[in-house]
mmCIF file of all heavy atoms in Angstrom:
data_model
loop_
_atom_site.group_PDB
_atom_site.id
_atom_site.type_symbol
_atom_site.label_atom_id
_atom_site.label_comp_id
_atom_site.label_asym_id
_atom_site.label_seq_id
_atom_site.Cartn_x
_atom_site.Cartn_y
_atom_site.Cartn_z
ATOM 1 N N THR A 4 42.661 -36.112 6.810
ATOM 2 C CA THR A 4 42.943 -36.397 8.223
ATOM 3 C C THR A 4 43.798 -37.640 8.304
ATOM 4 O O THR A 4 43.270 -38.781 8.325
ATOM 5 C CB THR A 4 41.627 -36.580 9.020
ATOM 6 O OG1 THR A 4 40.828 -35.403 8.809
ATOM 7 C CG2 THR A 4 41.928 -36.725 10.502
ATOM 8 N N PHE A 5 45.085 -37.441 8.335
ATOM 9 C CA PHE A 5 46.063 -38.515 8.204
ATOM 10 C C PHE A 5 45.839 -39.627 9.195
ATOM 11 O O PHE A 5 45.901 -40.821 8.850
ATOM 12 C CB PHE A 5 47.465 -37.931 8.390
ATOM 13 C CG PHE A 5 48.586 -38.908 8.287
ATOM 14 C CD1 PHE A 5 49.008 -39.346 7.049
ATOM 15 C CD2 PHE A 5 49.224 -39.363 9.425
ATOM 16 C CE1 PHE A 5 50.059 -40.238 6.934
ATOM 17 C CE2 PHE A 5 50.276 -40.269 9.336
ATOM 18 C CZ PHE A 5 50.693 -40.708 8.068
ATOM 19 N N SER A 6 45.554 -39.308 10.427
ATOM 20 C CA SER A 6 45.444 -40.328 11.475
ATOM 21 C C SER A 6 44.256 -41.285 11.274
ATOM 22 O O SER A 6 44.215 -42.338 11.921
ATOM 23 C CB SER A 6 45.325 -39.668 12.848
ATOM 24 O OG SER A 6 44.181 -38.822 12.885
ATOM 25 N N ASN A 7 43.367 -40.956 10.377
ATOM 26 C CA ASN A 7 42.189 -41.787 10.132
ATOM 27 C C ASN A 7 42.384 -42.860 9.095
ATOM 28 O O ASN A 7 41.519 -43.713 8.928
ATOM 29 C CB ASN A 7 40.983 -40.920 9.696
ATOM 30 C CG ASN A 7 40.412 -40.106 10.834
ATOM 31 O OD1 ASN A 7 40.801 -40.246 11.998
ATOM 32 N ND2 ASN A 7 39.468 -39.249 10.506
ATOM 33 N N TYR A 8 43.522 -42.810 8.407
ATOM 34 C CA TYR A 8 43.691 -43.666 7.233
ATOM 35 C C TYR A 8 44.931 -44.556 7.301
ATOM 36 O O TYR A 8 45.987 -44.149 7.792
ATOM 37 C CB TYR A 8 43.783 -42.816 5.982
ATOM 38 C CG TYR A 8 42.468 -42.166 5.623
ATOM 39 C CD1 TYR A 8 42.134 -40.915 6.147
ATOM 40 C CD2 TYR A 8 41.561 -42.794 4.801
ATOM 41 C CE1 TYR A 8 40.918 -40.319 5.860
ATOM 42 C CE2 TYR A 8 40.350 -42.207 4.504
ATOM 43 C CZ TYR A 8 40.040 -40.962 5.026
ATOM 44 O OH TYR A 8 38.837 -40.381 4.736
ATOM 45 N N GLY A 9 44.756 -45.766 6.769
ATOM 46 C CA GLY A 9 45.925 -46.604 6.507
ATOM 47 C C GLY A 9 46.725 -46.021 5.337
ATOM 48 O O GLY A 9 46.158 -45.358 4.452
ATOM 49 N N MET A 10 48.012 -46.296 5.355
ATOM 50 C CA MET A 10 48.904 -45.836 4.304
ATOM 51 C C MET A 10 49.724 -47.024 3.794
ATOM 52 O O MET A 10 50.056 -47.927 4.557
ATOM 53 C CB MET A 10 49.841 -44.737 4.826
ATOM 54 C CG MET A 10 49.146 -43.504 5.323
ATOM 55 S SD MET A 10 48.299 -42.586 4.030
ATOM 56 C CE MET A 10 49.691 -42.111 2.980
ATOM 57 N N THR A 11 50.070 -46.960 2.522
ATOM 58 C CA THR A 11 50.739 -48.098 1.876
ATOM 59 C C THR A 11 51.932 -47.629 1.068
ATOM 60 O O THR A 11 51.863 -46.583 0.431
ATOM 61 C CB THR A 11 49.769 -48.829 0.949
ATOM 62 O OG1 THR A 11 48.561 -49.120 1.670
ATOM 63 C CG2 THR A 11 50.363 -50.143 0.459
ATOM 64 N N TRP A 12 52.985 -48.405 1.118
ATOM 65 C CA TRP A 12 54.142 -48.227 0.240
ATOM 66 C C TRP A 12 54.071 -49.282 -0.865
ATOM 67 O O TRP A 12 53.868 -50.478 -0.584
ATOM 68 C CB TRP A 12 55.454 -48.376 0.966
ATOM 69 C CG TRP A 12 55.844 -47.208 1.820
ATOM 70 C CD1 TRP A 12 55.670 -47.068 3.181
ATOM 71 C CD2 TRP A 12 56.482 -46.016 1.383
ATOM 72 N NE1 TRP A 12 56.165 -45.863 3.590
ATOM 73 C CE2 TRP A 12 56.675 -45.196 2.512
ATOM 74 C CE3 TRP A 12 56.915 -45.540 0.135
ATOM 75 C CZ2 TRP A 12 57.268 -43.942 2.429
ATOM 76 C CZ3 TRP A 12 57.505 -44.301 0.051
ATOM 77 C CH2 TRP A 12 57.682 -43.500 1.198
ATOM 78 N N TYR A 13 54.255 -48.830 -2.092
ATOM 79 C CA TYR A 13 54.350 -49.702 -3.267
ATOM 80 C C TYR A 13 55.706 -49.459 -3.911
ATOM 81 O O TYR A 13 56.381 -48.433 -3.649
ATOM 82 C CB TYR A 13 53.260 -49.383 -4.298
ATOM 83 C CG TYR A 13 51.898 -49.867 -3.955
ATOM 84 C CD1 TYR A 13 51.084 -49.150 -3.082
ATOM 85 C CD2 TYR A 13 51.388 -51.028 -4.539
ATOM 86 C CE1 TYR A 13 49.810 -49.585 -2.778
ATOM 87 C CE2 TYR A 13 50.111 -51.480 -4.228
ATOM 88 C CZ TYR A 13 49.327 -50.743 -3.364
ATOM 89 O OH TYR A 13 48.053 -51.171 -3.057
ATOM 90 N N ARG A 14 56.109 -50.350 -4.783
ATOM 91 C CA ARG A 14 57.283 -50.135 -5.587
ATOM 92 C C ARG A 14 57.082 -50.663 -6.985
ATOM 93 O O ARG A 14 56.283 -51.586 -7.174
ATOM 94 C CB ARG A 14 58.532 -50.737 -4.936
ATOM 95 C CG ARG A 14 58.532 -52.269 -4.901
ATOM 96 C CD ARG A 14 59.760 -52.741 -4.137
ATOM 97 N NE ARG A 14 59.821 -54.220 -4.085
ATOM 98 C CZ ARG A 14 60.691 -54.872 -3.347
ATOM 99 N NH1 ARG A 14 61.594 -54.226 -2.615
ATOM 100 N NH2 ARG A 14 60.686 -56.197 -3.353
ATOM 101 N N GLN A 15 57.842 -50.114 -7.925
ATOM 102 C CA GLN A 15 57.778 -50.578 -9.304
ATOM 103 C C GLN A 15 59.181 -50.607 -9.872
ATOM 104 O O GLN A 15 59.846 -49.557 -9.983
ATOM 105 C CB GLN A 15 56.865 -49.694 -10.153
ATOM 106 C CG GLN A 15 56.650 -50.232 -11.538
ATOM 107 C CD GLN A 15 55.489 -49.543 -12.254
ATOM 108 O OE1 GLN A 15 55.065 -48.465 -11.873
ATOM 109 N NE2 GLN A 15 54.948 -50.200 -13.282
ATOM 110 N N ALA A 16 59.628 -51.798 -10.216
ATOM 111 C CA ALA A 16 60.922 -51.998 -10.829
ATOM 112 C C ALA A 16 60.746 -51.883 -12.337
ATOM 113 O O ALA A 16 59.661 -52.119 -12.863
ATOM 114 C CB ALA A 16 61.470 -53.344 -10.436
ATOM 115 N N PRO A 17 61.834 -51.568 -13.055
ATOM 116 C CA PRO A 17 61.759 -51.430 -14.506
ATOM 117 C C PRO A 17 61.196 -52.708 -15.153
ATOM 118 O O PRO A 17 61.651 -53.821 -14.878
ATOM 119 C CB PRO A 17 63.198 -51.219 -14.915
ATOM 120 C CG PRO A 17 63.836 -50.611 -13.730
ATOM 121 C CD PRO A 17 63.172 -51.235 -12.538
ATOM 122 N N GLY A 18 60.182 -52.560 -15.980
ATOM 123 C CA GLY A 18 59.615 -53.656 -16.704
ATOM 124 C C GLY A 18 58.706 -54.563 -15.887
ATOM 125 O O GLY A 18 58.260 -55.617 -16.350
ATOM 126 N N LYS A 19 58.425 -54.166 -14.647
ATOM 127 C CA LYS A 19 57.573 -54.980 -13.776
ATOM 128 C C LYS A 19 56.370 -54.181 -13.315
ATOM 129 O O LYS A 19 56.314 -52.961 -13.391
ATOM 130 C CB LYS A 19 58.384 -55.447 -12.573
ATOM 131 C CG LYS A 19 59.512 -56.387 -12.896
ATOM 132 C CD LYS A 19 60.098 -56.994 -11.638
ATOM 133 C CE LYS A 19 61.153 -58.029 -11.993
ATOM 134 N NZ LYS A 19 61.718 -58.678 -10.767
ATOM 135 N N GLN A 20 55.367 -54.932 -12.849
ATOM 136 C CA GLN A 20 54.175 -54.291 -12.313
ATOM 137 C C GLN A 20 54.441 -53.684 -10.926
ATOM 138 O O GLN A 20 55.331 -54.161 -10.214
ATOM 139 C CB GLN A 20 53.019 -55.298 -12.243
ATOM 140 C CG GLN A 20 52.479 -55.712 -13.603
ATOM 141 C CD GLN A 20 51.198 -56.531 -13.459
ATOM 142 O OE1 GLN A 20 50.976 -57.187 -12.465
ATOM 143 N NE2 GLN A 20 50.345 -56.435 -14.475
ATOM 144 N N ARG A 21 53.655 -52.676 -10.601
ATOM 145 C CA ARG A 21 53.750 -52.093 -9.288
ATOM 146 C C ARG A 21 53.289 -53.135 -8.251
ATOM 147 O O ARG A 21 52.307 -53.822 -8.447
ATOM 148 C CB ARG A 21 52.878 -50.844 -9.193
ATOM 149 C CG ARG A 21 53.157 -49.956 -8.031
ATOM 150 C CD ARG A 21 52.443 -48.605 -8.166
ATOM 151 N NE ARG A 21 52.976 -47.836 -9.299
ATOM 152 C CZ ARG A 21 52.680 -46.568 -9.513
ATOM 153 N NH1 ARG A 21 51.834 -45.922 -8.718
ATOM 154 N NH2 ARG A 21 53.194 -45.931 -10.564
ATOM 155 N N GLU A 22 54.020 -53.239 -7.159
ATOM 156 C CA GLU A 22 53.716 -54.231 -6.142
ATOM 157 C C GLU A 22 53.651 -53.581 -4.755
ATOM 158 O O GLU A 22 54.386 -52.639 -4.460
ATOM 159 C CB GLU A 22 54.736 -55.366 -6.123
ATOM 160 C CG GLU A 22 56.145 -54.967 -5.772
ATOM 161 C CD GLU A 22 57.085 -56.147 -5.572
ATOM 162 O OE1 GLU A 22 56.607 -57.285 -5.513
ATOM 163 O OE2 GLU A 22 58.288 -55.897 -5.430
ATOM 164 N N LEU A 23 52.795 -54.148 -3.924
ATOM 165 C CA LEU A 23 52.675 -53.665 -2.548
ATOM 166 C C LEU A 23 53.904 -54.111 -1.746
ATOM 167 O O LEU A 23 54.317 -55.274 -1.854
ATOM 168 C CB LEU A 23 51.403 -54.221 -1.915
ATOM 169 C CG LEU A 23 51.005 -53.687 -0.547
ATOM 170 C CD1 LEU A 23 49.496 -53.710 -0.386
ATOM 171 C CD2 LEU A 23 51.644 -54.480 0.574
ATOM 172 N N VAL A 24 54.445 -53.199 -0.995
ATOM 173 C CA VAL A 24 55.623 -53.467 -0.157
ATOM 174 C C VAL A 24 55.223 -53.613 1.302
ATOM 175 O O VAL A 24 55.526 -54.602 1.967
ATOM 176 C CB VAL A 24 56.662 -52.362 -0.292
ATOM 177 C CG1 VAL A 24 57.812 -52.590 0.653
ATOM 178 C CG2 VAL A 24 57.139 -52.246 -1.728
ATOM 179 N N ALA A 25 54.510 -52.605 1.797
ATOM 180 C CA ALA A 25 54.108 -52.607 3.209
ATOM 181 C C ALA A 25 52.946 -51.660 3.384
ATOM 182 O O ALA A 25 52.777 -50.688 2.663
ATOM 183 C CB ALA A 25 55.274 -52.167 4.095
ATOM 184 N N ARG A 26 52.135 -51.978 4.390
ATOM 185 C CA ARG A 26 50.975 -51.155 4.728
ATOM 186 C C ARG A 26 50.916 -50.995 6.222
ATOM 187 O O ARG A 26 51.244 -51.912 6.985
ATOM 188 C CB ARG A 26 49.692 -51.794 4.227
ATOM 189 C CG ARG A 26 48.451 -51.030 4.624
ATOM 190 C CD ARG A 26 47.171 -51.601 4.028
ATOM 191 N NE ARG A 26 45.989 -50.986 4.591
ATOM 192 C CZ ARG A 26 45.518 -49.793 4.183
ATOM 193 N NH1 ARG A 26 46.119 -49.113 3.231
ATOM 194 N NH2 ARG A 26 44.401 -49.297 4.737
ATOM 195 N N ILE A 27 50.470 -49.795 6.657
ATOM 196 C CA ILE A 27 50.241 -49.577 8.081
ATOM 197 C C ILE A 27 48.831 -49.028 8.236
ATOM 198 O O ILE A 27 48.429 -48.068 7.562
ATOM 199 C CB ILE A 27 51.295 -48.622 8.684
ATOM 200 C CG1 ILE A 27 51.125 -48.529 10.188
ATOM 201 C CG2 ILE A 27 51.307 -47.241 8.029
ATOM 202 C CD1 ILE A 27 52.339 -47.957 10.894
ATOM 203 N N GLU A 28 48.068 -49.672 9.077
ATOM 204 C CA GLU A 28 46.695 -49.263 9.325
ATOM 205 C C GLU A 28 46.656 -47.984 10.183
ATOM 206 O O GLU A 28 47.674 -47.590 10.792
ATOM 207 C CB GLU A 28 45.928 -50.372 10.006
ATOM 208 C CG GLU A 28 45.918 -51.702 9.253
ATOM 209 C CD GLU A 28 45.262 -51.604 7.891
ATOM 210 O OE1 GLU A 28 44.455 -50.686 7.662
ATOM 211 O OE2 GLU A 28 45.568 -52.487 7.053
ATOM 212 N N ASN A 29 45.496 -47.374 10.257
ATOM 213 C CA ASN A 29 45.398 -46.175 11.102
ATOM 214 C C ASN A 29 45.635 -46.505 12.583
ATOM 215 O O ASN A 29 46.057 -45.653 13.338
ATOM 216 C CB ASN A 29 44.030 -45.516 10.935
ATOM 217 C CG ASN A 29 42.888 -46.380 11.400
ATOM 218 O OD1 ASN A 29 42.895 -47.583 11.169
ATOM 219 N ND2 ASN A 29 41.899 -45.790 12.038
ATOM 220 N N THR A 30 45.473 -47.759 12.941
ATOM 221 C CA THR A 30 45.756 -48.216 14.305
ATOM 222 C C THR A 30 47.243 -48.413 14.554
ATOM 223 O O THR A 30 47.650 -48.609 15.683
ATOM 224 C CB THR A 30 45.055 -49.546 14.564
ATOM 225 O OG1 THR A 30 45.499 -50.502 13.597
ATOM 226 C CG2 THR A 30 43.537 -49.394 14.459
ATOM 227 N N GLY A 31 48.035 -48.417 13.503
ATOM 228 C CA GLY A 31 49.467 -48.680 13.603
ATOM 229 C C GLY A 31 49.856 -50.111 13.273
ATOM 230 O O GLY A 31 51.047 -50.442 13.285
ATOM 231 N N THR A 32 48.897 -50.961 12.998
ATOM 232 C CA THR A 32 49.196 -52.343 12.667
ATOM 233 C C THR A 32 49.857 -52.417 11.296
ATOM 234 O O THR A 32 49.320 -51.921 10.322
ATOM 235 C CB THR A 32 47.915 -53.173 12.659
ATOM 236 O OG1 THR A 32 47.321 -53.124 13.959
ATOM 237 C CG2 THR A 32 48.226 -54.625 12.290
ATOM 238 N N PRO A 33 51.040 -53.039 11.231
ATOM 239 C CA PRO A 33 51.727 -53.147 9.949
ATOM 240 C C PRO A 33 51.520 -54.494 9.264
ATOM 241 O O PRO A 33 51.216 -55.492 9.913
ATOM 242 C CB PRO A 33 53.229 -53.021 10.360
ATOM 243 C CG PRO A 33 53.259 -53.689 11.694
ATOM 244 C CD PRO A 33 51.919 -53.454 12.328
ATOM 245 N N ASN A 34 51.694 -54.482 7.960
ATOM 246 C CA ASN A 34 51.718 -55.727 7.168
ATOM 247 C C ASN A 34 52.760 -55.569 6.076
ATOM 248 O O ASN A 34 52.977 -54.462 5.570
ATOM 249 C CB ASN A 34 50.347 -56.019 6.535
ATOM 250 C CG ASN A 34 49.388 -56.617 7.553
ATOM 251 O OD1 ASN A 34 49.500 -57.747 7.956
ATOM 252 N ND2 ASN A 34 48.443 -55.794 8.017
ATOM 253 N N TYR A 35 53.405 -56.684 5.743
ATOM 254 C CA TYR A 35 54.516 -56.623 4.783
ATOM 255 C C TYR A 35 54.356 -57.719 3.733
ATOM 256 O O TYR A 35 53.803 -58.797 3.979
ATOM 257 C CB TYR A 35 55.834 -56.875 5.522
ATOM 258 C CG TYR A 35 56.107 -55.872 6.609
ATOM 259 C CD1 TYR A 35 55.780 -56.125 7.933
ATOM 260 C CD2 TYR A 35 56.722 -54.663 6.313
ATOM 261 C CE1 TYR A 35 56.012 -55.196 8.938
ATOM 262 C CE2 TYR A 35 56.969 -53.730 7.313
ATOM 263 C CZ TYR A 35 56.608 -53.997 8.605
ATOM 264 O OH TYR A 35 56.851 -53.088 9.593
ATOM 265 N N SER A 36 54.924 -57.430 2.567
ATOM 266 C CA SER A 36 55.021 -58.482 1.563
ATOM 267 C C SER A 36 56.090 -59.467 2.021
ATOM 268 O O SER A 36 57.002 -59.126 2.762
ATOM 269 C CB SER A 36 55.387 -57.908 0.202
ATOM 270 O OG SER A 36 56.723 -57.386 0.232
ATOM 271 N N ASN A 37 55.974 -60.685 1.524
ATOM 272 C CA ASN A 37 56.952 -61.703 1.924
ATOM 273 C C ASN A 37 58.370 -61.320 1.511
ATOM 274 O O ASN A 37 59.343 -61.709 2.189
ATOM 275 C CB ASN A 37 56.582 -63.054 1.342
ATOM 276 C CG ASN A 37 55.369 -63.650 2.021
ATOM 277 O OD1 ASN A 37 55.051 -63.354 3.169
ATOM 278 N ND2 ASN A 37 54.643 -64.501 1.284
ATOM 279 N N SER A 38 58.496 -60.567 0.444
ATOM 280 C CA SER A 38 59.820 -60.248 -0.076
ATOM 281 C C SER A 38 60.592 -59.276 0.803
ATOM 282 O O SER A 38 61.824 -59.166 0.698
ATOM 283 C CB SER A 38 59.700 -59.670 -1.487
ATOM 284 O OG SER A 38 58.916 -58.481 -1.477
ATOM 285 N N VAL A 39 59.896 -58.548 1.682
ATOM 286 C CA VAL A 39 60.587 -57.556 2.528
ATOM 287 C C VAL A 39 60.429 -57.843 4.021
ATOM 288 O O VAL A 39 61.050 -57.162 4.848
ATOM 289 C CB VAL A 39 60.105 -56.133 2.211
ATOM 290 C CG1 VAL A 39 60.210 -55.809 0.733
ATOM 291 C CG2 VAL A 39 58.681 -55.886 2.713
ATOM 292 N N LYS A 40 59.619 -58.825 4.348
ATOM 293 C CA LYS A 40 59.353 -59.125 5.767
ATOM 294 C C LYS A 40 60.670 -59.434 6.474
ATOM 295 O O LYS A 40 61.491 -60.193 5.993
ATOM 296 C CB LYS A 40 58.399 -60.287 5.855
ATOM 297 C CG LYS A 40 57.727 -60.455 7.217
ATOM 298 C CD LYS A 40 56.665 -61.540 7.158
ATOM 299 C CE LYS A 40 55.517 -61.198 6.234
ATOM 300 N NZ LYS A 40 54.463 -62.206 6.227
ATOM 301 N N GLY A 41 60.858 -58.812 7.621
ATOM 302 C CA GLY A 41 62.076 -59.011 8.409
ATOM 303 C C GLY A 41 63.205 -58.073 8.016
ATOM 304 O O GLY A 41 64.208 -57.961 8.734
ATOM 305 N N ARG A 42 63.034 -57.337 6.932
ATOM 306 C CA ARG A 42 64.092 -56.388 6.488
ATOM 307 C C ARG A 42 63.590 -54.947 6.517
ATOM 308 O O ARG A 42 64.380 -54.027 6.796
ATOM 309 C CB ARG A 42 64.558 -56.731 5.092
ATOM 310 C CG ARG A 42 65.135 -58.104 4.954
ATOM 311 C CD ARG A 42 65.788 -58.320 3.571
ATOM 312 N NE ARG A 42 64.802 -58.213 2.478
ATOM 313 C CZ ARG A 42 64.877 -57.328 1.514
ATOM 314 N NH1 ARG A 42 65.878 -56.444 1.450
ATOM 315 N NH2 ARG A 42 63.955 -57.309 0.522
ATOM 316 N N PHE A 43 62.327 -54.759 6.195
ATOM 317 C CA PHE A 43 61.742 -53.412 6.120
ATOM 318 C C PHE A 43 60.814 -53.200 7.301
ATOM 319 O O PHE A 43 60.164 -54.129 7.768
ATOM 320 C CB PHE A 43 60.966 -53.232 4.831
ATOM 321 C CG PHE A 43 61.772 -53.163 3.580
ATOM 322 C CD1 PHE A 43 63.097 -53.467 3.548
ATOM 323 C CD2 PHE A 43 61.166 -52.802 2.365
ATOM 324 C CE1 PHE A 43 63.850 -53.411 2.381
ATOM 325 C CE2 PHE A 43 61.869 -52.725 1.203
ATOM 326 C CZ PHE A 43 63.229 -53.041 1.204
ATOM 327 N N THR A 44 60.714 -51.948 7.745
ATOM 328 C CA THR A 44 59.786 -51.586 8.804
ATOM 329 C C THR A 44 59.028 -50.353 8.408
ATOM 330 O O THR A 44 59.629 -49.311 8.054
ATOM 331 C CB THR A 44 60.549 -51.312 10.120
ATOM 332 O OG1 THR A 44 61.290 -52.466 10.494
ATOM 333 C CG2 THR A 44 59.547 -50.973 11.227
ATOM 334 N N ILE A 45 57.709 -50.435 8.442
ATOM 335 C CA ILE A 45 56.848 -49.292 8.157
ATOM 336 C C ILE A 45 56.393 -48.698 9.486
ATOM 337 O O ILE A 45 56.107 -49.428 10.453
ATOM 338 C CB ILE A 45 55.645 -49.693 7.278
ATOM 339 C CG1 ILE A 45 54.875 -48.460 6.805
ATOM 340 C CG2 ILE A 45 54.729 -50.677 7.993
ATOM 341 C CD1 ILE A 45 53.836 -48.789 5.727
ATOM 342 N N SER A 46 56.342 -47.385 9.543
ATOM 343 C CA SER A 46 55.888 -46.694 10.738
ATOM 344 C C SER A 46 55.238 -45.389 10.346
ATOM 345 O O SER A 46 55.307 -44.981 9.176
ATOM 346 C CB SER A 46 57.072 -46.459 11.686
ATOM 347 O OG SER A 46 58.048 -45.611 11.091
ATOM 348 N N ARG A 47 54.582 -44.774 11.318
ATOM 349 C CA ARG A 47 53.915 -43.514 11.032
ATOM 350 C C ARG A 47 54.010 -42.581 12.233
ATOM 351 O O ARG A 47 54.114 -43.020 13.376
ATOM 352 C CB ARG A 47 52.439 -43.739 10.692
ATOM 353 C CG ARG A 47 51.602 -44.325 11.795
ATOM 354 C CD ARG A 47 50.216 -44.740 11.268
ATOM 355 N NE ARG A 47 49.469 -43.609 10.776
ATOM 356 C CZ ARG A 47 48.486 -43.709 9.866
ATOM 357 N NH1 ARG A 47 48.162 -44.893 9.370
ATOM 358 N NH2 ARG A 47 47.830 -42.607 9.475
ATOM 359 N N ASP A 48 54.026 -41.293 11.926
ATOM 360 C CA ASP A 48 54.019 -40.268 12.956
ATOM 361 C C ASP A 48 52.809 -39.369 12.645
ATOM 362 O O ASP A 48 52.868 -38.523 11.748
ATOM 363 C CB ASP A 48 55.321 -39.464 12.941
ATOM 364 C CG ASP A 48 55.409 -38.455 14.052
ATOM 365 O OD1 ASP A 48 54.366 -38.031 14.569
ATOM 366 O OD2 ASP A 48 56.532 -38.083 14.419
ATOM 367 N N ASN A 49 51.746 -39.577 13.379
ATOM 368 C CA ASN A 49 50.506 -38.817 13.100
ATOM 369 C C ASN A 49 50.659 -37.329 13.405
ATOM 370 O O ASN A 49 49.971 -36.516 12.803
ATOM 371 C CB ASN A 49 49.352 -39.419 13.898
ATOM 372 C CG ASN A 49 48.912 -40.777 13.365
ATOM 373 O OD1 ASN A 49 49.181 -41.137 12.236
ATOM 374 N ND2 ASN A 49 48.259 -41.552 14.215
#
């Protein structure tokens, strides 16, 4: 049930650990890593 869950984007660059990029809660509240804040936007369509 997609609308009940937060969803997260991660990324992994060559030779680096996987890192959190952005998360959106089931309420629609977003959070971003400092490295992408102001440049990336996470959204959802339930």
Side-chain angles (χ1 to χ4, degrees):
T4 306
F5 180 77
S6 59
N7 287 354
Y8 290 89
M10 299 294 296
T11 309
W12 284 100
Y13 285 81
R14 68 185 181 187
Q15 187 166 19
K19 295 189 176 182
Q20 289 190 334
R21 195 169 294 190
E22 64 171 350
L23 188 150
V24 175
R26 175 174 171 81
I27 186 164
E28 303 298 338
N29 64 320
T30 57
T32 301
N34 282 287
Y35 302 95
S36 68
N37 287 335
S38 60
V39 307
K40 197 173 295 182
R42 300 188 298 121
F43 290 10
T44 302
I45 189 170
S46 62
R47 63 190 298 156
D48 185 335
N49 290 338

